[in-house]
Amino acid sequence: MWLLDEPTTALDAKGQSWMMSLLEQHLSIGGIAVIATHHELPIKNIHSIFLDNT
């Protein structure tokens, strides 16, 4: 299980692409990732929970 907080913050486009590749590979072999982020991530077949501050 990966616990990630803002995994793409401060990465350039190449770094973001690399991070998404690693994450998709991890998920494709049955891995789990819990991700806290303010950005939408281009990941297929995910379950998202959106928290609202109101």
Side-chain angles (χ1 to χ4, degrees):
M1 176 188 290
W2 291 2
L3 301 174
L4 303 170
D5 182 18
E6 300 288 352
T8 58
T9 299
L11 296 177
D12 61 9
K14 186 175 178 181
Q16 289 179 14
S17 178
W18 176 73
M19 179 65 211
M20 290 301 100
S21 294
L22 289 175
L23 182 56
E24 287 180 349
Q25 180 182 11
H26 173 69
L27 297 174
S28 74
I29 61 172
I32 296 171
V34 177
I35 304 169
T37 185
H38 290 92
H39 308 284
E40 295 228 10
L41 300 177
I43 303 169
K44 300 174 188 168
N45 301 318
I46 62 170
H47 176 75
S48 297
I49 298 172
F50 296 95
L51 302 178
D52 191 357
N53 288 336
T54 60

